[in-house]
Amino acid sequence: MLPLIVFAVGIVFYNYKQDRSDATRRVLENVRSMRLVLDSEVQRMTGGLQVLALTNALRNDDFQNFRRIALGFVEQYGKGGLVLISDREGRLLFSSATEDTGSLPPRGNLETIERVFARKTPQYSDLFIGAINGRQELTVEVPVFRDGEVIYDLCFSPPISIFQGLVEKQRPDQVWTVSLLDTKSVVFARVPNPSEMIGKRASGVLKDAMTRTSEAALSSVSLDGVALSSAFTRSSLTGWTVVAGVPESSLIAPLWRNIAITSLIGGILLLTGLTFAVRMATTIARGEMLHNLLIDELNHRVKNTLALMQAIAVQTFRSASRDERMKFEGRLGALAEAHNLLSQEKWAGSELREVIARALQPFLMNGPDRIRMAGPAVPLSPRLAVVLSMIVHEIATNAAKYGALSNETGRVTLDWEILADAPKPRLRLVWTETGGPPVMAPVQRGFGSRLIERSARDQLGGEATVDFLPRGVVCTVVCALDETR
């Protein structure tokens, strides 16, 4: 029976190879998911800054009124955030930390400012020591336009703790090592040992691999000296890299444990018979593999889908205009926010008010009291939550460009109610604009209008109507409600 025992050990080693391959795949899937979460958070910051850049107070150099708006933006991110406005030479014209900008030194990190003025697009810095607070920081910077030309650099320095918190929440297990690196391979968030590792460069093997490709799985040694099975992926949005790794020891330990168990079973085989033991071992191994496969599929299905959409967007809009790219990124951001909310609720559905609040969040920064929402609590299925989020985002985008949210006096009322006049309950949502510019019906319908109407008709089984009344636009969406658990 000894050859059979050796054969059993061979099966265990083969399973170890399979498990190791699965572990490598899981690490790569996790870093992709983390990159998507990181991009979503940075896009939210960028979108908020772009809204700030469009405010009349900033365009008219009214920094006193702009301070109130900027402080409201900074408060979202807690203590340590800082909004700055500088010219092309780095001279500070505004700081959310003080009104006495004359006593502040010029901006550091001038190369990022130069890119903002040269490329006229949002830019993301590497880790550097801030000239004002003397701390390590990263910046998200967007151009401020006047008559099509960049006049200012609008800079936001978020607290580093935001990225550290993101890493800690996305860490799958306590044995994992997860890091965020800037374009120069410098660590700006990490678990474990963040206080010791932030500001250090990545290890040699990892750094060399990052110079050759934007995504890979490899064996490396962490800055702590731990051998890891690692993977990394670089964000096409910021150029930052997400790195994660599992200790090699955690992968080898199950091998020795399984070999010991197999040897014990081999001894029992000598007494009880080979057939019964092999059948038991095979059943257990297959059940465990199937269990792990189902869990991984459940946890990563949605995140992998959004990662694919992000990659498609990057390729599709490589040569598109800035306006087209911003429109699509806004729609993709609304879809990602809806999926993030559903993920938090474990795909059991969401509440209508929270879905709408997430979709309208970028439009509330310039005036939280300009949009009033009223209606009963309405639980939504995942399908309804995603589609309604996209519809509300499209309506709000049109209002910000042409309607009540495009000036300083416009107001929006968003009401909803449940209609019980049919066998299946229906939701009626009414968007009413007042105080905006004079309303004129468009000559031709754009993609946003078609998206609203077709989504309501084809995906919600309802209808959407838009009335261009003299006092303002009124959009009504009616759809049937799904049963939620």
Side-chain angles (χ1 to χ4, degrees), residues 40-41 43-52 68-83 96 156-159 161-162 169 337 357-358 360-368:
S40 177
E41 180 64 26
Q43 283 177 332
R44 188 167 71 91
M45 294 181 190
T46 306
L49 284 178
Q50 289 174 326
V51 171
L52 290 181
R68 174 181 55 83
I69 302 173
L71 291 178
F73 175 80
V74 173
E75 286 177 0
Q76 299 178 73
Y77 299 94
K79 295 182 178 180
L82 183 63
V83 171
S96 62
F156 175 52
S157 173
S161 59
I162 290 179
K169 290 179 181 178
E337 282 297 326
R358 286 241 182 173
L360 296 179
Q361 186 175 12
F363 306 94
L364 295 173
M365 294 178 182
N366 195 23

Side-chain angles (χ1 to χ4, degrees), residues 372-431:
R372 183 186 66 83
M373 295 182 290
V378 181
L380 299 178
S381 66
R383 181 180 66 88
L384 285 178
V386 172
V387 178
L388 285 175
S389 177
M390 295 294 293
I391 289 176
V392 171
H393 176 267
E394 285 298 328
I395 297 173
T397 299
N398 289 336
K401 294 178 66 176
Y402 314 110
L405 299 182
S406 65
N407 61 15
E408 298 293 335
T409 61
R411 295 290 185 272
V412 172
T413 300
L414 186 57
D415 300 306
W416 62 87
E417 61 179 339
I418 302 296
L419 304 177
D421 56 353
K424 192 173 184 180
R426 294 184 301 160
L427 170 68
R428 180 167 65 188
L429 188 147
V430 181
W431 172 285

Side-chain angles (χ1 to χ4, degrees), residues 199-482:
K200 292 186 177 181
R201 290 188 181 274
S203 58
V205 173
L206 180 61
K207 184 169 64 176
D208 293 342
M210 289 168 57
T211 61
R212 295 191 299 270
T213 181
S214 62
E215 180 177 282
L218 71 163
S219 296
S220 64
V221 178
S222 71
L223 295 175
D224 305 301
V226 179
L228 300 175
S229 176
S230 306
F232 67 87
T233 182
R234 183 179 302 119
S235 167
S236 59
L237 173 69
T238 61
W240 300 339
T241 303
V242 181
V243 185
V246 181
E248 295 279 359
S249 59
S250 68
L251 302 177
I252 296 176
L255 170 65
W256 295 113
R257 183 175 66 250
N258 289 338
I259 289 178
I261 294 174
T262 303
S263 300
L264 178 61
I265 293 175
I268 297 175
L269 288 177
L270 297 173
L271 302 175
T272 61
L274 178 64
T275 303
F276 176 75
V278 169
R279 185 179 182 87
M280 286 282 294
T282 303
T283 301
I284 294 173
R286 286 180 178 175
E288 184 176 353
M289 291 177 63
L290 179 59
H291 179 68
N292 291 337
L293 180 61
L294 290 176
I295 291 178
D296 291 341
E297 182 67 19
L298 179 63
N299 287 339
H300 299 295
R301 184 185 297 264
V302 174
K303 292 183 179 179
N304 288 347
T305 301
L306 289 178
L308 178 60
M309 292 179 65
Q310 180 75 16
I312 293 173
V314 171
Q315 295 298 324
T316 303
F317 288 97
R318 178 173 295 175
S319 60
S321 67
R322 180 175 178 270
D323 185 57
E324 291 174 335
R325 186 168 60 252
M326 289 181 64
K327 287 181 180 178
F328 187 85
E329 288 176 353
R331 290 166 181 148
L332 186 58
L335 180 61
E337 282 297 326
H339 279 272
N340 286 340
L341 178 59
L342 290 172
S343 297
Q344 292 176 6
E345 300 296 332
K346 301 187 183 301
W347 286 88
S350 303
E351 209 278 321
L352 175 61
R353 183 179 294 273
E354 189 169 1
V355 170
I356 293 175
R358 286 241 182 173
L360 296 179
Q361 186 175 12
F363 306 94
L364 295 173
M365 294 178 182
N366 195 23
D369 58 341
R370 297 182 65 184
I371 301 179
R372 183 186 66 83
M373 295 182 290
V378 181
L380 299 178
S381 66
R383 181 180 66 88
L384 285 178
V386 172
V387 178
L388 285 175
S389 177
M390 295 294 293
I391 289 176
V392 171
H393 176 267
E394 285 298 328
I395 297 173
T397 299
N398 289 336
K401 294 178 66 176
Y402 314 110
L405 299 182
S406 65
N407 61 15
E408 298 293 335
T409 61
R411 295 290 185 272
V412 172
T413 300
L414 186 57
D415 300 306
W416 62 87
E417 61 179 339
I418 302 296
L419 304 177
D421 56 353
K424 192 173 184 180
R426 294 184 301 160
L427 170 68
R428 180 167 65 188
L429 188 147
V430 181
W431 172 285
T432 305
E433 299 182 17
T434 57
V439 176
M440 296 181 61
V443 178
Q444 60 181 6
R445 295 161 59 223
F447 175 78
S449 299
R450 296 196 300 272
L451 173 65
I452 294 171
E453 294 179 3
R454 291 179 181 177
S455 297
R457 182 185 69 237
D458 300 336
Q459 300 185 48
L460 300 182
E463 61 178 356
T465 59
V466 181
D467 298 319
F468 298 92
L469 304 179
R471 67 176 183 274
V473 172
V474 177
C475 182
T476 304
V477 178
V478 179
C479 66
L481 292 174
D482 295 334

Side-chain angles (χ1 to χ4, degrees), residues 165-210:
L166 184 149
V167 167
E168 292 173 356
K169 290 179 181 178
Q170 295 297 314
R171 187 186 191 187
D173 191 87
Q174 292 298 317
V175 301
W176 284 54
T177 296
V178 181
S179 303
L180 300 182
L181 312 179
D182 64 16
T183 61
K184 296 179 181 178
S185 303
V186 176
V187 178
F188 63 87
R190 186 185 193 268
V191 283
N193 305 325
S195 59
E196 300 176 9
M197 300 303 171
I198 290 179
K200 292 186 177 181
R201 290 188 181 274
S203 58
V205 173
L206 180 61
K207 184 169 64 176
D208 293 342
M210 289 168 57

Side-chain angles (χ1 to χ4, degrees), residues 7-33:
F7 178 72
V9 171
I11 292 177
V12 170
F13 187 75
Y14 172 78
N15 288 337
Y16 159 73
K17 287 290 188 181
Q18 291 296 109
D19 291 342
R20 186 181 181 87
S21 176
D22 291 343
T24 301
R25 176 180 57 81
R26 289 197 300 272
V27 173
L28 187 56
E29 289 177 349
N30 271 280
V31 295
R32 288 170 178 167
S33 299

